[in-house]
Amino acid sequence: MESQSHHTESQSHSTRSIALKLNLSTLFIGTLLCGILAVYFFQETQERVKEQASIELTQITDTLKLALETNSHLSNMIRIVGVLTTNKNIDRLSVIKSSDMRVNADSLTQYNGRLAKEVFPAPIMELLTSPARVHDQQSGEFIGSHLHHAVQFHLIDPEVNRLRPYIIYFKYDKTLLEAGINQTRNNYLLIVICAFSSLLLINLWIHKVVVLTPLFQITAQLKHQAGRNISPKPLKISTRDEFGILANSYNHSVHTQLLQKKELEKSHRHIKNMTRVLPVHLIYVDTKQKIQFINRHSLKWLDSENNEVLNHTCEAIIPLNFLSLWLPSLNKL
């Protein structure tokens, strides 16, 4: 019982190992793809934030230009900047004159008219001294949860009524945009994970039906035959795939063995019957000098029955005067 239980456990472990090996590639590719998507979305987030910020900055500069072309007074610039900062993603917007680096209009009105170096910290001043072009999406600097952007463009100076270079600085809050991108990333990853999980489950089911079940049927029948120590019998399997071919080949081999066994038994019976009726003394002796076969003529000569002779030594059955003639041959066994 213990050996049978051990065999069952080893067989179960074998089938589990086969199932794992068959689905290992799917599991590996699914995990690898999820990892690649996670890294891709992580890197894409920063680019998407800069791209979206650039689009909104372009809209802001276009709005400023259009509004100041009709009314270039400083009060109108301050009013427009205040309106534009109502955008939920813009924390701060400032228009700075490039010639003297003075803040003309700021969403924080207390900074209007002050020098930029008095208002902005050193990292922002470095950004203001080297502003980007309007459509440069790769510009800007991330500090914490904000993107700081500075762009140079030309507006009509209300004092001289001529085009002069100005710098637009705005502080872009990326929290909402990042949250949307992260949600999209999570949705994609969830779809991919569900797809590969479904594929893995389907593969497991297919492998169980197509591979493991026929394999278990074959091994169970072979185990049943080996456990009872009986002659091999044909396998019963209904599939027409490679397992069916394997079972048919095995069944053909078993059929050939059974035919050979029948022929051998028939020949053995024929020979045995012939030796029993031969009018000579015929005795088979094993290596221990025990009689394993004796024909009918010898039994009559000894006046004994078959069960009284078989598995007995020659010394106990054969007369001594005849045994002395056989000893040289018996000693060679």
Side-chain angles (χ1 to χ4, degrees), residues 29-49:
I29 293 174
T31 304
L32 181 63
L33 184 58
C34 289
I36 292 174
L37 284 176
V39 173
Y40 168 76
F41 275 106
F42 178 78
Q43 295 178 347
E44 184 71 10
T45 299
Q46 305 297 328
E47 300 301 324
R48 287 281 301 276
V49 169

PDB file of all heavy atoms in Angstrom, residues 29-49:
ATOM      1  N   ILE A  29       5.997  35.110 -20.598  1.00  0.00           N
ATOM      2  CA  ILE A  29       5.717  36.199 -21.533  1.00  0.00           C
ATOM      3  C   ILE A  29       4.720  37.192 -20.931  1.00  0.00           C
ATOM      4  O   ILE A  29       4.867  38.409 -21.085  1.00  0.00           O
ATOM      5  CB  ILE A  29       5.176  35.630 -22.863  1.00  0.00           C
ATOM      6  CG1 ILE A  29       6.284  34.839 -23.573  1.00  0.00           C
ATOM      7  CG2 ILE A  29       4.666  36.743 -23.768  1.00  0.00           C
ATOM      8  CD1 ILE A  29       5.814  34.121 -24.811  1.00  0.00           C
ATOM      9  N   GLY A  30       3.710  36.683 -20.228  1.00  0.00           N
ATOM     10  CA  GLY A  30       2.740  37.567 -19.583  1.00  0.00           C
ATOM     11  C   GLY A  30       3.386  38.456 -18.534  1.00  0.00           C
ATOM     12  O   GLY A  30       3.139  39.668 -18.479  1.00  0.00           O
ATOM     13  N   THR A  31       4.239  37.865 -17.681  1.00  0.00           N
ATOM     14  CA  THR A  31       4.929  38.645 -16.659  1.00  0.00           C
ATOM     15  C   THR A  31       5.863  39.667 -17.293  1.00  0.00           C
ATOM     16  O   THR A  31       5.926  40.829 -16.863  1.00  0.00           O
ATOM     17  CB  THR A  31       5.725  37.705 -15.738  1.00  0.00           C
ATOM     18  OG1 THR A  31       4.839  36.728 -15.176  1.00  0.00           O
ATOM     19  CG2 THR A  31       6.379  38.480 -14.610  1.00  0.00           C
ATOM     20  N   LEU A  32       6.588  39.252 -18.330  1.00  0.00           N
ATOM     21  CA  LEU A  32       7.516  40.156 -19.010  1.00  0.00           C
ATOM     22  C   LEU A  32       6.775  41.321 -19.660  1.00  0.00           C
ATOM     23  O   LEU A  32       7.206  42.484 -19.555  1.00  0.00           O
ATOM     24  CB  LEU A  32       8.309  39.381 -20.066  1.00  0.00           C
ATOM     25  CG  LEU A  32       9.351  40.175 -20.874  1.00  0.00           C
ATOM     26  CD1 LEU A  32      10.440  40.710 -19.956  1.00  0.00           C
ATOM     27  CD2 LEU A  32       9.945  39.317 -21.964  1.00  0.00           C
ATOM     28  N   LEU A  33       5.644  41.032 -20.317  1.00  0.00           N
ATOM     29  CA  LEU A  33       4.878  42.082 -20.980  1.00  0.00           C
ATOM     30  C   LEU A  33       4.312  43.078 -19.971  1.00  0.00           C
ATOM     31  O   LEU A  33       4.333  44.294 -20.210  1.00  0.00           O
ATOM     32  CB  LEU A  33       3.753  41.460 -21.807  1.00  0.00           C
ATOM     33  CG  LEU A  33       2.902  42.423 -22.641  1.00  0.00           C
ATOM     34  CD1 LEU A  33       3.774  43.195 -23.613  1.00  0.00           C
ATOM     35  CD2 LEU A  33       1.827  41.670 -23.398  1.00  0.00           C
ATOM     36  N   CYS A  34       3.813  42.580 -18.839  1.00  0.00           N
ATOM     37  CA  CYS A  34       3.303  43.477 -17.794  1.00  0.00           C
ATOM     38  C   CYS A  34       4.419  44.376 -17.260  1.00  0.00           C
ATOM     39  O   CYS A  34       4.218  45.566 -17.026  1.00  0.00           O
ATOM     40  CB  CYS A  34       2.693  42.663 -16.657  1.00  0.00           C
ATOM     41  SG  CYS A  34       1.137  41.851 -17.082  1.00  0.00           S
ATOM     42  N   GLY A  35       5.607  43.811 -17.091  1.00  0.00           N
ATOM     43  CA  GLY A  35       6.741  44.615 -16.628  1.00  0.00           C
ATOM     44  C   GLY A  35       7.130  45.682 -17.632  1.00  0.00           C
ATOM     45  O   GLY A  35       7.397  46.836 -17.265  1.00  0.00           O
ATOM     46  N   ILE A  36       7.146  45.307 -18.928  1.00  0.00           N
ATOM     47  CA  ILE A  36       7.492  46.282 -19.970  1.00  0.00           C
ATOM     48  C   ILE A  36       6.457  47.399 -20.030  1.00  0.00           C
ATOM     49  O   ILE A  36       6.807  48.590 -20.148  1.00  0.00           O
ATOM     50  CB  ILE A  36       7.609  45.569 -21.336  1.00  0.00           C
ATOM     51  CG1 ILE A  36       8.827  44.635 -21.339  1.00  0.00           C
ATOM     52  CG2 ILE A  36       7.713  46.579 -22.466  1.00  0.00           C
ATOM     53  CD1 ILE A  36       8.928  43.786 -22.577  1.00  0.00           C
ATOM     54  N   LEU A  37       5.180  47.051 -19.941  1.00  0.00           N
ATOM     55  CA  LEU A  37       4.125  48.078 -19.963  1.00  0.00           C
ATOM     56  C   LEU A  37       4.232  49.006 -18.763  1.00  0.00           C
ATOM     57  O   LEU A  37       4.033  50.224 -18.896  1.00  0.00           O
ATOM     58  CB  LEU A  37       2.754  47.402 -19.984  1.00  0.00           C
ATOM     59  CG  LEU A  37       2.315  46.803 -21.323  1.00  0.00           C
ATOM     60  CD1 LEU A  37       0.987  46.083 -21.159  1.00  0.00           C
ATOM     61  CD2 LEU A  37       2.203  47.881 -22.377  1.00  0.00           C
ATOM     62  N   ALA A  38       4.546  48.445 -17.592  1.00  0.00           N
ATOM     63  CA  ALA A  38       4.670  49.283 -16.398  1.00  0.00           C
ATOM     64  C   ALA A  38       5.812  50.282 -16.556  1.00  0.00           C
ATOM     65  O   ALA A  38       5.654  51.475 -16.240  1.00  0.00           O
ATOM     66  CB  ALA A  38       4.899  48.397 -15.171  1.00  0.00           C
ATOM     67  N   VAL A  39       6.955  49.810 -17.058  1.00  0.00           N
ATOM     68  CA  VAL A  39       8.099  50.715 -17.276  1.00  0.00           C
ATOM     69  C   VAL A  39       7.773  51.747 -18.346  1.00  0.00           C
ATOM     70  O   VAL A  39       8.100  52.941 -18.204  1.00  0.00           O
ATOM     71  CB  VAL A  39       9.348  49.894 -17.671  1.00  0.00           C
ATOM     72  CG1 VAL A  39      10.491  50.817 -18.059  1.00  0.00           C
ATOM     73  CG2 VAL A  39       9.785  48.999 -16.521  1.00  0.00           C
ATOM     74  N   TYR A  40       7.105  51.311 -19.408  1.00  0.00           N
ATOM     75  CA  TYR A  40       6.763  52.235 -20.490  1.00  0.00           C
ATOM     76  C   TYR A  40       5.841  53.351 -19.993  1.00  0.00           C
ATOM     77  O   TYR A  40       6.074  54.532 -20.282  1.00  0.00           O
ATOM     78  CB  TYR A  40       6.096  51.475 -21.624  1.00  0.00           C
ATOM     79  CG  TYR A  40       5.453  52.364 -22.664  1.00  0.00           C
ATOM     80  CD1 TYR A  40       6.228  53.034 -23.602  1.00  0.00           C
ATOM     81  CD2 TYR A  40       4.070  52.544 -22.691  1.00  0.00           C
ATOM     82  CE1 TYR A  40       5.639  53.863 -24.547  1.00  0.00           C
ATOM     83  CE2 TYR A  40       3.481  53.372 -23.630  1.00  0.00           C
ATOM     84  CZ  TYR A  40       4.273  54.024 -24.558  1.00  0.00           C
ATOM     85  OH  TYR A  40       3.688  54.847 -25.482  1.00  0.00           O
ATOM     86  N   PHE A  41       4.805  52.988 -19.256  1.00  0.00           N
ATOM     87  CA  PHE A  41       3.877  53.999 -18.765  1.00  0.00           C
ATOM     88  C   PHE A  41       4.546  54.925 -17.754  1.00  0.00           C
ATOM     89  O   PHE A  41       4.231  56.115 -17.685  1.00  0.00           O
ATOM     90  CB  PHE A  41       2.646  53.341 -18.142  1.00  0.00           C
ATOM     91  CG  PHE A  41       1.582  53.003 -19.139  1.00  0.00           C
ATOM     92  CD1 PHE A  41       1.358  51.695 -19.534  1.00  0.00           C
ATOM     93  CD2 PHE A  41       0.801  53.986 -19.710  1.00  0.00           C
ATOM     94  CE1 PHE A  41       0.392  51.380 -20.464  1.00  0.00           C
ATOM     95  CE2 PHE A  41      -0.186  53.696 -20.631  1.00  0.00           C
ATOM     96  CZ  PHE A  41      -0.392  52.384 -21.011  1.00  0.00           C
ATOM     97  N   PHE A  42       5.469  54.387 -16.980  1.00  0.00           N
ATOM     98  CA  PHE A  42       6.176  55.237 -16.013  1.00  0.00           C
ATOM     99  C   PHE A  42       7.003  56.305 -16.738  1.00  0.00           C
ATOM    100  O   PHE A  42       7.024  57.476 -16.346  1.00  0.00           O
ATOM    101  CB  PHE A  42       7.082  54.375 -15.129  1.00  0.00           C
ATOM    102  CG  PHE A  42       7.880  55.164 -14.137  1.00  0.00           C
ATOM    103  CD1 PHE A  42       7.292  55.645 -12.973  1.00  0.00           C
ATOM    104  CD2 PHE A  42       9.231  55.444 -14.374  1.00  0.00           C
ATOM    105  CE1 PHE A  42       8.026  56.385 -12.067  1.00  0.00           C
ATOM    106  CE2 PHE A  42       9.966  56.182 -13.469  1.00  0.00           C
ATOM    107  CZ  PHE A  42       9.368  56.651 -12.302  1.00  0.00           C
ATOM    108  N   GLN A  43       7.678  55.909 -17.821  1.00  0.00           N
ATOM    109  CA  GLN A  43       8.468  56.869 -18.579  1.00  0.00           C
ATOM    110  C   GLN A  43       7.588  57.786 -19.422  1.00  0.00           C
ATOM    111  O   GLN A  43       7.913  58.958 -19.630  1.00  0.00           O
ATOM    112  CB  GLN A  43       9.462  56.123 -19.481  1.00  0.00           C
ATOM    113  CG  GLN A  43      10.515  55.337 -18.707  1.00  0.00           C
ATOM    114  CD  GLN A  43      11.458  54.577 -19.620  1.00  0.00           C
ATOM    115  OE1 GLN A  43      11.192  54.437 -20.824  1.00  0.00           O
ATOM    116  NE2 GLN A  43      12.552  54.078 -19.069  1.00  0.00           N
ATOM    117  N   GLU A  44       6.488  57.253 -19.886  1.00  0.00           N
ATOM    118  CA  GLU A  44       5.595  58.043 -20.740  1.00  0.00           C
ATOM    119  C   GLU A  44       4.878  59.139 -19.963  1.00  0.00           C
ATOM    120  O   GLU A  44       4.497  60.169 -20.541  1.00  0.00           O
ATOM    121  CB  GLU A  44       4.581  57.097 -21.396  1.00  0.00           C
ATOM    122  CG  GLU A  44       3.656  57.759 -22.392  1.00  0.00           C
ATOM    123  CD  GLU A  44       4.365  58.158 -23.676  1.00  0.00           C
ATOM    124  OE1 GLU A  44       5.523  57.757 -23.883  1.00  0.00           O
ATOM    125  OE2 GLU A  44       3.739  58.888 -24.468  1.00  0.00           O
ATOM    126  N   THR A  45       4.714  58.928 -18.668  1.00  0.00           N
ATOM    127  CA  THR A  45       3.980  59.910 -17.858  1.00  0.00           C
ATOM    128  C   THR A  45       4.612  61.290 -17.940  1.00  0.00           C
ATOM    129  O   THR A  45       3.924  62.298 -18.154  1.00  0.00           O
ATOM    130  CB  THR A  45       3.921  59.441 -16.392  1.00  0.00           C
ATOM    131  OG1 THR A  45       3.227  58.197 -16.331  1.00  0.00           O
ATOM    132  CG2 THR A  45       3.179  60.459 -15.538  1.00  0.00           C
ATOM    133  N   GLN A  46       5.946  61.362 -17.781  1.00  0.00           N
ATOM    134  CA  GLN A  46       6.631  62.646 -17.807  1.00  0.00           C
ATOM    135  C   GLN A  46       6.463  63.329 -19.168  1.00  0.00           C
ATOM    136  O   GLN A  46       6.220  64.547 -19.241  1.00  0.00           O
ATOM    137  CB  GLN A  46       8.122  62.441 -17.503  1.00  0.00           C
ATOM    138  CG  GLN A  46       8.402  61.717 -16.200  1.00  0.00           C
ATOM    139  CD  GLN A  46       7.908  62.503 -14.987  1.00  0.00           C
ATOM    140  OE1 GLN A  46       7.899  63.729 -14.979  1.00  0.00           O
ATOM    141  NE2 GLN A  46       7.473  61.787 -13.965  1.00  0.00           N
ATOM    142  N   GLU A  47       6.579  62.575 -20.241  1.00  0.00           N
ATOM    143  CA  GLU A  47       6.442  63.148 -21.573  1.00  0.00           C
ATOM    144  C   GLU A  47       5.023  63.636 -21.825  1.00  0.00           C
ATOM    145  O   GLU A  47       4.817  64.688 -22.430  1.00  0.00           O
ATOM    146  CB  GLU A  47       6.843  62.108 -22.631  1.00  0.00           C
ATOM    147  CG  GLU A  47       8.278  61.607 -22.506  1.00  0.00           C
ATOM    148  CD  GLU A  47       9.283  62.740 -22.606  1.00  0.00           C
ATOM    149  OE1 GLU A  47       9.038  63.678 -23.395  1.00  0.00           O
ATOM    150  OE2 GLU A  47      10.306  62.691 -21.903  1.00  0.00           O
ATOM    151  N   ARG A  48       4.066  62.860 -21.343  1.00  0.00           N
ATOM    152  CA  ARG A  48       2.664  63.282 -21.518  1.00  0.00           C
ATOM    153  C   ARG A  48       2.370  64.562 -20.753  1.00  0.00           C
ATOM    154  O   ARG A  48       1.626  65.430 -21.232  1.00  0.00           O
ATOM    155  CB  ARG A  48       1.745  62.152 -21.037  1.00  0.00           C
ATOM    156  CG  ARG A  48       1.675  60.943 -21.964  1.00  0.00           C
ATOM    157  CD  ARG A  48       0.753  61.189 -23.145  1.00  0.00           C
ATOM    158  NE  ARG A  48      -0.592  61.502 -22.714  1.00  0.00           N
ATOM    159  CZ  ARG A  48      -1.515  60.608 -22.393  1.00  0.00           C
ATOM    160  NH1 ARG A  48      -1.211  59.311 -22.444  1.00  0.00           N
ATOM    161  NH2 ARG A  48      -2.716  60.983 -22.041  1.00  0.00           N
ATOM    162  N   VAL A  49       2.933  64.684 -19.559  1.00  0.00           N
ATOM    163  CA  VAL A  49       2.733  65.906 -18.768  1.00  0.00           C
ATOM    164  C   VAL A  49       3.315  67.109 -19.509  1.00  0.00           C
ATOM    165  O   VAL A  49       2.680  68.171 -19.617  1.00  0.00           O
ATOM    166  CB  VAL A  49       3.364  65.746 -17.371  1.00  0.00           C
ATOM    167  CG1 VAL A  49       3.396  67.084 -16.644  1.00  0.00           C
ATOM    168  CG2 VAL A  49       2.578  64.738 -16.547  1.00  0.00           C
TER     169      VAL A  49
END
